[in-house]
Coordinates of all heavy atoms in Angstrom, one line a residue:
W1 N -22.0 -0.4 1.1 CA -23.4 -0.3 1.0 C -23.9 0.9 0.2 O -24.8 0.9 -0.6 CB -24.1 -0.3 2.4 CG -25.5 0.0 2.4 CD1 -26.2 0.9 3.0 CD2 -26.5 -0.8 1.8 NE1 -27.5 0.9 2.7 CE2 -27.8 -0.1 2.0 CE3 -26.5 -2.0 1.0 CZ2 -28.9 -0.7 1.5 CZ3 -27.7 -2.5 0.5 CH2 -28.9 -1.8 0.8
Y2 N -23.2 2.1 0.4 CA -23.6 3.3 -0.2 C -23.3 3.1 -1.7 O -24.1 3.6 -2.6 CB -22.7 4.4 0.3 CG -23.2 5.0 1.6 CD1 -24.3 4.5 2.3 CD2 -22.7 6.2 2.1 CE1 -24.7 5.0 3.5 CE2 -23.2 6.8 3.1 CZ -24.2 6.2 4.0 OH -24.6 6.8 5.1
S3 N -22.2 2.5 -2.1 CA -21.9 2.2 -3.5 C -22.9 1.4 -4.2 O -23.4 1.7 -5.3 CB -20.6 1.5 -3.6 OG -19.6 2.3 -3.0
I4 N -23.4 0.3 -3.5 CA -24.4 -0.6 -4.1 C -25.6 0.1 -4.3 O -26.3 0.0 -5.2 CB -24.5 -1.8 -3.3 CG1 -23.2 -2.7 -3.2 CG2 -25.6 -2.7 -3.7 CD1 -23.2 -3.9 -2.3
F5 N -26.2 0.7 -3.2 CA -27.4 1.5 -3.2 C -27.5 2.5 -4.3 O -28.5 2.5 -5.0 CB -27.7 2.1 -1.8 CG -29.1 2.6 -1.6 CD1 -30.1 1.8 -1.0 CD2 -29.4 3.9 -2.1 CE1 -31.3 2.4 -0.9 CE2 -30.7 4.4 -2.1 CZ -31.7 3.6 -1.4
H6 N -26.5 3.3 -4.3 CA -26.5 4.5 -5.3 C -26.3 4.0 -6.8 O -26.9 4.6 -7.6 CB -25.6 5.5 -4.9 CG -25.8 6.2 -3.6 ND1 -25.2 5.9 -2.5 CD2 -26.8 7.3 -3.5 CE1 -25.7 6.8 -1.5 NE2 -26.7 7.5 -2.1
A7 N -25.6 2.8 -6.9 CA -25.5 2.3 -8.3 C -26.8 1.8 -8.8 O -27.2 2.0 -9.9 CB -24.5 1.1 -8.3
V8 N -27.6 1.0 -7.9 CA -28.9 0.6 -8.2 C -29.9 1.7 -8.4 O -30.7 1.8 -9.5 CB -29.5 -0.4 -7.1 CG1 -30.9 -0.7 -7.3 CG2 -28.6 -1.5 -7.0
S9 N -29.8 2.7 -7.6 CA -30.7 3.9 -7.7 C -30.5 4.7 -9.0 O -31.4 5.1 -9.5 CB -30.4 4.8 -6.4 OG -31.4 5.9 -6.4
A10 N -29.2 4.8 -9.4 CA -28.8 5.5 -10.6 C -29.2 4.7 -11.9 O -29.8 5.3 -12.7 CB -27.3 5.8 -10.6
F11 N -29.0 3.5 -11.9 CA -29.3 2.7 -13.0 C -30.8 2.6 -13.2 O -31.4 2.6 -14.3 CB -28.7 1.3 -12.9 CG -29.0 0.4 -14.2 CD1 -28.3 0.6 -15.3 CD2 -30.1 -0.4 -14.3 CE1 -28.5 -0.2 -16.5 CE2 -30.3 -1.2 -15.3 CZ -29.5 -1.0 -16.5
C12 N -31.5 2.4 -12.1 CA -33.0 2.4 -12.3 C -33.7 3.8 -12.3 O -34.9 3.9 -12.3 CB -33.5 1.7 -11.0 SG -33.1 -0.1 -11.0
N13 N -32.9 4.8 -12.4 CA -33.3 6.1 -12.5 C -34.2 6.6 -11.4 O -35.2 7.3 -11.5 CB -34.1 6.4 -13.8 CG -33.2 6.5 -15.0 OD1 -33.6 7.1 -16.1 ND2 -32.1 6.0 -15.0
A14 N -33.9 6.0 -10.2 CA -34.7 6.3 -8.9 C -34.3 7.7 -8.4 O -35.1 8.5 -7.9 CB -34.6 5.3 -7.9
G15 N -32.9 8.0 -8.2 CA -32.5 9.2 -7.7 C -32.6 9.3 -6.2 O -32.5 10.4 -5.6
I16 N -32.9 8.2 -5.5 CA -33.0 8.2 -4.0 C -31.5 8.1 -3.4 O -30.8 7.1 -3.9 CB -33.8 7.1 -3.5 CG1 -35.4 7.4 -4.0 CG2 -33.9 7.0 -2.0 CD1 -36.3 6.3 -3.6
D17 N -31.2 8.9 -2.5 CA -29.8 8.8 -2.0 C -29.8 8.6 -0.5 O -30.9 8.9 0.3 CB -29.1 10.1 -2.3 CG -29.5 11.3 -1.6 OD1 -30.5 11.9 -2.0 OD2 -29.0 11.6 -0.5
L18 N -28.6 8.3 0.1 CA -28.6 8.0 1.6 C -27.6 9.1 2.1 O -27.0 8.8 3.2 CB -28.0 6.7 1.8 CG -28.8 5.5 1.2 CD1 -28.1 4.2 1.6 CD2 -30.2 5.5 1.8
L19 N -27.3 10.2 1.4 CA -26.2 11.0 1.8 C -26.6 12.3 2.6 O -25.9 13.3 2.6 CB -25.5 11.5 0.5 CG -24.9 10.4 -0.3 CD1 -24.3 11.0 -1.6 CD2 -23.8 9.6 0.4
G20 N -27.8 12.3 3.2 CA -28.2 13.3 4.1 C -29.2 14.3 3.4 O -29.4 15.2 4.0
G21 N -29.8 14.0 2.3 CA -30.8 14.8 1.7 C -30.3 15.8 0.7 O -31.2 16.4 0.2
N22 N -29.1 15.9 0.5 CA -28.5 16.9 -0.5 C -28.2 16.3 -1.8 O -27.5 16.8 -2.6 CB -27.4 17.6 0.1 CG -27.7 18.5 1.3 OD1 -28.8 19.1 1.2 ND2 -26.8 18.7 2.3
S23 N -28.5 15.0 -2.0 CA -28.3 14.3 -3.2 C -26.7 14.2 -3.4 O -25.9 14.0 -2.4 CB -28.9 14.8 -4.4 OG -28.9 13.9 -5.5
F24 N -26.2 14.6 -4.6 CA -24.7 14.6 -4.8 C -24.2 16.0 -4.8 O -23.2 16.3 -5.4 CB -24.4 13.9 -6.1 CG -24.7 12.4 -6.1 CD1 -24.9 11.7 -7.3 CD2 -24.5 11.7 -5.0 CE1 -25.1 10.4 -7.3 CE2 -24.6 10.3 -4.9 CZ -24.9 9.6 -6.1
C25 N -24.9 17.0 -4.1 CA -24.4 18.3 -4.1 C -23.0 18.6 -3.6 O -22.2 19.4 -4.0 CB -25.4 19.2 -3.4 SG -27.0 19.5 -4.2
N26 N -22.6 17.7 -2.7 CA -21.3 17.6 -2.0 C -20.3 17.2 -2.9 O -19.0 17.3 -2.7 CB -21.2 16.9 -0.7 CG -22.1 17.5 0.3 OD1 -22.3 18.9 0.3 ND2 -22.6 16.8 1.3
Y27 N -20.6 16.6 -4.1 CA -19.7 15.9 -5.0 C -19.8 16.5 -6.4 O -19.4 16.0 -7.4 CB -20.0 14.4 -5.2 CG -20.0 13.7 -3.9 CD1 -21.1 13.5 -3.1 CD2 -18.7 13.2 -3.5 CE1 -20.9 12.8 -1.9 CE2 -18.6 12.4 -2.3 CZ -19.7 12.3 -1.6 OH -19.6 11.5 -0.4
V28 N -20.2 17.9 -6.4 CA -20.3 18.6 -7.7 C -19.0 18.7 -8.4 O -19.0 18.7 -9.6 CB -20.9 20.0 -7.4 CG1 -19.9 20.8 -6.6 CG2 -21.3 20.7 -8.7
D29 N -17.9 18.6 -7.7 CA -16.6 18.7 -8.3 C -15.8 17.4 -8.3 O -14.7 17.3 -8.7 CB -15.7 19.8 -7.6 CG -15.5 19.5 -6.1 OD1 -16.2 18.5 -5.6 OD2 -14.6 20.1 -5.4
N30 N -16.5 16.3 -8.0 CA -15.9 15.0 -8.0 C -16.2 14.4 -9.4 O -17.3 13.9 -9.6 CB -16.5 14.2 -6.9 CG -15.8 12.8 -6.7 OD1 -15.7 12.0 -7.5 ND2 -15.1 12.7 -5.5
G31 N -15.2 14.2 -10.1 CA -15.3 13.6 -11.4 C -15.8 12.2 -11.5 O -16.6 11.8 -12.4
M32 N -15.3 11.3 -10.6 CA -15.7 10.0 -10.5 C -17.1 9.8 -10.3 O -17.9 9.1 -11.0 CB -14.9 9.2 -9.5 CG -15.3 7.7 -9.4 SD -15.1 6.8 -10.9 CE -13.2 6.8 -11.0
V33 N -17.8 10.5 -9.2 CA -19.2 10.4 -8.8 C -20.0 10.9 -10.1 O -20.9 10.2 -10.5 CB -19.5 11.2 -7.6 CG1 -20.9 11.2 -7.4 CG2 -18.8 10.5 -6.5
N34 N -19.6 12.0 -10.6 CA -20.3 12.6 -11.8 C -20.3 11.7 -12.9 O -21.4 11.4 -13.6 CB -19.7 13.9 -12.1 CG -20.2 15.1 -11.3 OD1 -21.1 15.8 -11.7 ND2 -19.6 15.2 -10.1
L35 N -19.2 11.2 -13.3 CA -19.1 10.3 -14.6 C -19.8 8.9 -14.4 O -20.5 8.5 -15.3 CB -17.6 10.1 -14.9 CG -16.9 11.3 -15.4 CD1 -15.4 11.1 -15.7 CD2 -17.6 11.9 -16.7
V36 N -19.7 8.4 -13.2 CA -20.3 7.1 -13.0 C -21.8 7.3 -13.1 O -22.6 6.4 -13.7 CB -20.0 6.4 -11.6 CG1 -20.7 5.3 -11.2 CG2 -18.4 6.0 -11.6

């Protein structure tokens, strides 16, 4: 569910996340999340 939600949010340029309010800050060093 997280994958589907964030893919739609990213493509639609919404920027809304379900990860606790810190957006992708916990994935700053994760290449896959950044590149996708």
